[in-house]
């Protein structure tokens, strides 16, 4: 069904409602669409400007964080190029332990003082190759040389051959009274001197959490409180200014995959009602993310929307009220005409409507209604006449059934006489013919079991063999499970008759008729095959009956009435004979057996 045919069903039935629908579709709907477009454009502009501002802030924050990592690298460089420190670490046995420790840790203090403007706490851990360890902090647990040497960062430096290694999000090992942050970022490296031979292992750690929280608090958002998050490349949250806020990592990964430039990206999370902007930090392989609440970003636009919706609702109510008043002036006369029509219909259309001096349209409707009533009276009279004719035809059909019943009773009489005279052949013919007559008299049944249809075929074959001296033999090939498949009554008997009349009727030789039934893909296939003279030879012979071929044409007509286009009957010329194939929908109807249910415990 196309759109043109559906349109009348979608339209309101009354004229008043159609006028209101016309206003809504042609005026209100375009106005709403235009307003939505304008507000969407404004939101897009605001979002673009907010994203640009957030990118600038994130790039500034990103640069400051990279400066912090650069300071750690500079610290490493200063230690690596300090000959005094190299001498202390290469030959620690030449110094007393107290003096050695004081000198090495004094190097830590002097380096930290040279970078006092970093704004974050830096901690040093130094291991020489003689089993000594030096630190610039109070540890959370006692420091042991072997345990420090087993740290994954030091192991990768020693075994991997790398000069340095960044370990982000490392668990804080400083005493809690000194530093309460949960994690640190650490640079693992070696001190090699001029000969590039490692003589010490170095770990420089920075408290990025305290620095990040302090740095984000100093950002001027202009839109209220924003959310800042540090996330790794997989979208997992490393640090957040709001402990309860978690970044949707799937949304971050999706936004990064769609971005042209991987250094910065922004996206909108409708579920959380946040606008996110992210910038990449190469040294740590992190993303610094800023989230701005959409409610704050679009506060002014939402206020404009609320005012617009209020004005629009008032305008719609006003126009609908005017439409109802104007349409009532048009539909009131039609409603009065409708009530009069109901009165006429209640009187069995025996009274006509008065054609008064009303509006021209109403007079035209009244005249058309009176003419329709007159035509209906004529149609009712014709229907009554046809009903009487149908009753007469039914009576004639009942009379026509009297002769077959008389013939059946006569056959039963002959059968009884044959039994008394020991004429078994006559008795069997009477029984077979009686089955065929009983089946033809049962006009209320169109479909019977295949087993019953095969019984009618057997009765027909017995009559024909008695007539032609047992010249024909029927061979049945089928599965017993198909015995209770439903087939049209007298559907195989015409095919068997066609095989005998046209396949063997012109010869004096004996013949075989193969009757097959099998199921395939929800279909029941019935075949009647003979080894007679074939279609071409039978067609060339002169017809012995005027109504030759009526049985097959009647069968095709019955198949069309019962199954529409889901059944077919075809004839095929074989090398030796003819095959008739009947294709039907497979319908199974096993008989009800009360004794089986009793055995299964259903009854009792």
């Amino acid at each position: 069904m196309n759109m043109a045919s559906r349109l009348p069903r979608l339209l309101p039935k009354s004229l008043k409602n159609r006028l209101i629908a016309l206003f809504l579709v042609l005026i209100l709907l375009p106005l709403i669409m235009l307003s939505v477009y304008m507000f969407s454009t404004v939101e897009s502009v605001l979002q673009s400007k907010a994203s640009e501002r957030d990118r600038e802030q994130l790039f500034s924050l990103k640069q400051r964080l990279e400066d912090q990592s650069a300071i750690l690298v500079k610290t490493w460089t200063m230690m690596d190029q300090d000959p005094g420190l190299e001498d202390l670490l290469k030959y620690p046995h030449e110094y007393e332990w107290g003096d050695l420790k004081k000198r090495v840790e004094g190097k830590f203090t002097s380096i930290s003082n040279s970078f006092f403007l970093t704004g974050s706490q830096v901690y040093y851990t130094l291991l020489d190759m003689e089993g000594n360890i030096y630190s610039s902090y109070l540890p959370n647990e006692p420091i042991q040389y072997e345990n420090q040497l087993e740290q994954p960062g030091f192991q990768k430096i020693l075994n991997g051959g790398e000069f340095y290694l960044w370990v982000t999000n490392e668990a804080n090992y400083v005493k809690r009274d000194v530093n309460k942050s949960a994690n640190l970022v650490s640079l693992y490296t070696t001190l090699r001197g001029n000969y590039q031979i490692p003589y010490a292992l170095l770990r420089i750690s920075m408290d990025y959490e305290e620095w990040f929280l302090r740095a984000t608090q100093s950002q001027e958002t202009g839109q209220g409180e924003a959310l800042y998050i540090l996330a790794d490349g997989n979208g997992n949250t490393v640090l957040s200014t709001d402990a309860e806020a978690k970044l949707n990592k799937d949304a971050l990964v999706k936004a990064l995959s769609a971005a042209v430039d991987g250094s910065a990206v922004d996206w909108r999370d409708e579920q959380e009602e946040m606008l996110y902007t992210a910038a990449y930090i190469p040294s740590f392989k992190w993303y610094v993310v800023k989230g701005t609440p959409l409610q704050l970003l679009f506060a002014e636009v939402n206020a404009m929307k609320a005012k617009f919706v209020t004005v629009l609702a008032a305008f719609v109510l006003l126009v609908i009220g005017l439409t109802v008043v104007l349409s009532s002036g048009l539909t009131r006369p039609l409603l009065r005409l409708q009530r009069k029509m109901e009165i006429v219909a209640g009187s069995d259309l025996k009274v006509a409507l008065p054609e008064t001096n009303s509006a021209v349209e109403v007079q035209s409707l009244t005249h058309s209604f009176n003419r329709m009533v007159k035509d209906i009276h004529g149609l009712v009279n014709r229907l009554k006449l046809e009903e009487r004719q149908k009753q007469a035809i039914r009576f004639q059909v009942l009379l026509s059934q009297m002769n077959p019943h008389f013939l059946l009773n006569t056959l039963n009489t002959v059968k009884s006489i044959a039994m008394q005279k020991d004429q078994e052949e006559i008795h069997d013919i009477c029984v077979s013919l009686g089955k065929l007559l009983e089946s033809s008299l049962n006009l209320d049944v169109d479909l019977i079991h295949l087993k019953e249809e095969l019984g009618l075929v057997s009765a027909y074959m017995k009559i024909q063999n008695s007539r032609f001296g047992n010249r024909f033999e029927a061979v049945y090939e089928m599965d017993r499970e198909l015995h209770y498949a439903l087939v049209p009554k007298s559907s195989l008997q015409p095919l068997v008759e066609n095989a005998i009349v046209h396949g063997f009727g012109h010869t004096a030789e004996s013949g075989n008729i193969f009757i097959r039934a099998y199921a395939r893909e929800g279909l029941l296939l019935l075949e009647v095959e003979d080894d007679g003279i074939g279609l071409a030879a039978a067609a060339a012979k002169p017809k012995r009956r005027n109504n030759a071929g009526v049985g097959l044409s009647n069968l095709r007509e019955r198949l069309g009435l019962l199954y529409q286009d889901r059944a077919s009957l075809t004839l095929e010329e074989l090398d030796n004979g003819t095959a008739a194939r009947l294709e039907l929908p497979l319908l199974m109807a096993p008989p009800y057996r009360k004794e089986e249910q009793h055995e299964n415990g259903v009854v009792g």
Side-chain angles (χ1 to χ4, degrees):
M1 183 181 295
N2 53 24
M3 190 62 188
S5 59
R6 292 181 180 177
L7 187 58
R9 297 185 179 181
L10 299 177
L11 291 176
K13 302 301 180 183
S14 64
L15 178 61
K16 181 191 300 183
N17 293 334
R18 289 193 176 188
L19 292 175
I20 297 175
L22 186 65
F23 160 73
L24 295 176
V25 172
L26 297 183
I27 299 179
L28 183 60
L29 184 60
L31 180 61
I32 293 177
M33 293 176 63
L34 178 61
S35 302
V36 171
Y37 172 75
M38 292 178 60
F39 283 119
S40 299
T41 304
V42 173
E43 289 183 355
S44 299
V45 172
L46 289 177
Q47 179 175 331
S48 178
K49 291 184 177 181
S51 298
E52 184 178 355
R53 183 192 65 246
D54 291 345
R55 286 193 181 194
E56 293 177 357
Q57 294 177 351
L58 288 183
F59 278 125
S60 174
L61 189 62
K62 162 194 168 183
Q63 188 61 45
R64 292 169 62 186
L65 188 57
E66 287 185 336
D67 291 342
Q68 297 293 318
S69 64
I71 289 176
L72 300 187
V73 176
K74 291 179 181 178
T75 302
W76 162 40
T77 304
M78 291 180 64
M79 289 186 177
D80 191 48
Q81 296 177 355
D82 188 344
L85 182 62
E86 181 179 356
D87 182 69
L88 292 173
L89 296 176
K90 279 185 175 181
Y91 311 105
H93 54 275
E94 296 180 2
Y95 303 90
E96 294 183 0
W97 170 245
D99 183 50
L100 176 64
K101 180 176 176 61
K102 182 178 179 181
R103 289 188 180 189
V104 173
E105 293 180 354
K107 296 285 185 179
F108 298 157
T109 304
S110 62
I111 293 175
S112 297
N113 291 335
S114 63
F115 297 115
F116 68 95
L117 296 177
T118 60
S120 60
Q121 297 293 328
V122 179
Y123 307 100
Y124 305 93
T125 305
L126 189 61
L127 285 74
D128 61 21
M129 298 305 177
E130 302 296 330
N132 300 315
I133 185 169
Y134 315 90
S135 63
S136 65
Y137 56 88
L138 294 176
N140 192 31
E141 296 178 356
I143 303 177
Q144 296 181 359
Y145 186 90
E146 292 76 10
N147 292 340
Q148 292 296 320
L149 196 61
E150 293 297 325
Q151 291 292 326
F154 286 132
Q155 288 297 315
K156 289 182 180 180
I157 291 295
L158 290 174
N159 300 326
E162 299 179 2
F163 285 104
Y164 67 93
L165 175 69
W166 285 102
V167 177
T168 57
N169 218 25
E170 184 175 31
N172 188 1
Y173 50 80
V174 182
K175 192 173 183 61
R176 296 304 180 191
D177 296 339
V178 178
N179 191 305
K180 293 182 169 51
S181 298
N183 299 288
L184 304 172
V185 61
S186 299
L187 173 63
Y188 285 84
T189 183
T190 59
L191 301 182
R192 296 175 179 264
N194 296 328
Y195 299 101
Q196 298 299 315
I197 299 175
Y199 61 85
L201 301 176
L202 174 65
R203 177 177 64 187
I204 309 175
S205 300
M206 179 182 67
D207 181 8
Y208 69 91
E209 291 189 2
E210 182 180 357
W211 175 90
F212 181 75
L213 296 177
R214 186 168 57 251
T216 54
Q217 288 176 359
S218 64
Q219 295 288 332
E220 296 293 336
T221 63
Q223 296 288 341
E225 185 177 356
L227 174 66
Y228 289 88
I229 296 175
L230 283 177
D232 59 19
N234 297 324
N236 299 311
T237 300
V238 177
L239 181 62
S240 173
T241 56
D242 185 355
E244 298 180 357
K246 295 295 183 181
L247 183 64
N248 187 342
K249 62 180 182 180
D250 294 334
L252 173 60
V253 173
K254 182 178 180 181
L256 293 175
S257 62
V260 178
D261 183 6
S263 61
V265 67
D266 55 78
W267 72 97
R268 183 169 172 173
D269 193 328
E270 299 292 347
Q271 184 176 0
E272 297 182 4
E273 298 183 349
M274 296 285 286
L275 175 64
Y276 288 102
T277 305
Y280 184 59
I281 306 174
S283 57
F284 296 151
K285 297 181 181 180
W286 283 350
Y287 286 90
V288 56
V289 184
K290 178 183 178 182
T292 304
L294 295 179
Q295 184 178 3
L296 298 176
L297 183 61
F298 301 135
E300 296 182 0
V301 178
N302 292 334
M304 293 174 59
K305 283 183 181 180
K307 293 180 181 179
F308 173 78
V309 171
T310 303
V311 174
L312 181 62
F315 172 72
V316 171
L317 293 176
L318 177 61
V319 175
I320 290 178
L322 293 175
T323 305
V324 170
V325 173
L326 294 176
S327 61
S328 298
L330 298 175
T331 58
R332 193 176 296 110
L334 297 177
L335 293 176
R336 288 198 296 265
L337 178 61
Q338 178 186 0
R339 287 193 291 269
K340 292 180 180 179
M341 288 181 177
E342 291 176 353
I343 295 174
V344 173
S347 60
D348 295 333
L349 303 178
K350 294 180 180 179
V351 180
L353 287 176
E355 299 184 11
T356 57
N357 295 327
S358 302
V360 177
E361 293 82 1
V362 177
Q363 289 183 3
S364 177
L365 288 174
T366 303
H367 178 71
S368 299
F369 180 77
N370 290 335
R371 187 174 61 183
M372 180 187 66
V373 170
K374 183 178 179 181
D375 294 341
I376 290 177
H377 276 297
L379 180 60
V380 169
N381 291 332
R382 287 196 300 271
L383 290 176
K384 290 181 179 179
L385 178 61
E386 292 177 0
E387 185 64 26
R388 288 195 295 269
Q389 291 175 348
K390 288 182 181 179
Q391 293 294 335
I393 294 173
R394 177 64 179 170
F395 180 73
Q396 293 296 330
V397 171
L398 293 175
L399 288 178
S400 65
Q401 290 181 350
M402 294 178 61
N403 290 333
H405 279 293
F406 174 74
L407 180 58
L408 182 60
N409 293 332
T410 303
L411 280 175
N412 290 331
T413 302
V414 174
K415 181 176 65 176
S416 300
I417 295 175
M419 291 181 63
Q420 295 175 1
K421 301 295 185 178
D422 292 332
Q423 298 291 331
E424 294 184 2
E425 185 175 358
I426 297 176
H427 173 268
D428 293 342
I429 293 176
C430 291
V431 170
S432 298
L433 183 57
K435 289 182 179 180
L436 296 176
L437 286 174
E438 287 180 358
S439 176
S440 64
L441 288 175
N442 190 3
L443 302 178
D444 297 330
V445 177
D446 294 322
L447 298 176
I448 62 175
H449 287 136
L450 177 60
K451 182 178 181 180
E452 299 177 18
E453 179 67 18
L454 294 177
L456 297 178
V457 172
S458 298
Y460 176 78
M461 289 295 297
K462 185 172 291 185
I463 294 174
Q464 294 296 337
N465 277 321
S466 298
R467 177 185 175 189
F468 294 103
N470 295 321
R471 288 171 48 197
F472 315 115
E473 181 178 356
V475 180
Y476 300 92
E477 301 176 5
M478 64 193 66
D479 193 345
R480 291 182 59 85
E481 294 181 356
L482 296 177
H483 282 179
Y484 295 108
L486 295 178
V487 298
K489 183 176 63 177
S490 300
S491 56
L492 289 178
Q493 184 268 330
L495 302 181
V496 174
E497 180 181 2
N498 189 69
I500 292 175
V501 173
H502 299 288
F504 309 110
H506 301 281
T507 64
E509 298 180 359
S510 300
N512 298 313
I513 299 176
F514 301 92
I515 302 174
R516 305 184 184 94
Y518 54 93
R520 185 178 63 192
E521 298 180 356
L523 297 175
L524 176 64
L525 285 82
L526 303 175
E527 293 184 357
V528 177
E529 180 183 333
D530 64 73
D531 54 1
I533 63 176
L535 286 175
K541 299 292 183 179
K543 301 293 187 296
R544 296 185 179 183
R545 297 182 298 178
N546 294 331
N547 61 346
V550 174
L552 296 183
S553 62
N554 287 344
L555 179 56
R556 285 193 175 95
E557 185 175 354
R558 289 169 55 206
L559 292 177
L561 293 173
L562 288 172
Y563 301 106
Q564 302 298 326
D565 57 349
R566 294 179 298 165
S568 63
L569 172 61
T570 58
L571 298 179
E572 181 181 352
E573 177 85 26
L574 303 178
D575 295 338
N576 184 19
T578 305
R581 292 185 175 86
L582 191 60
E583 187 175 298
L584 310 171
L586 180 59
L587 302 174
M588 302 296 297
Y592 172 77
R593 295 182 180 179
K594 185 175 180 180
E595 61 275 10
E596 290 185 0
Q597 288 198 358
H598 181 73
E599 292 173 0
N600 294 333
V602 178
V603 180

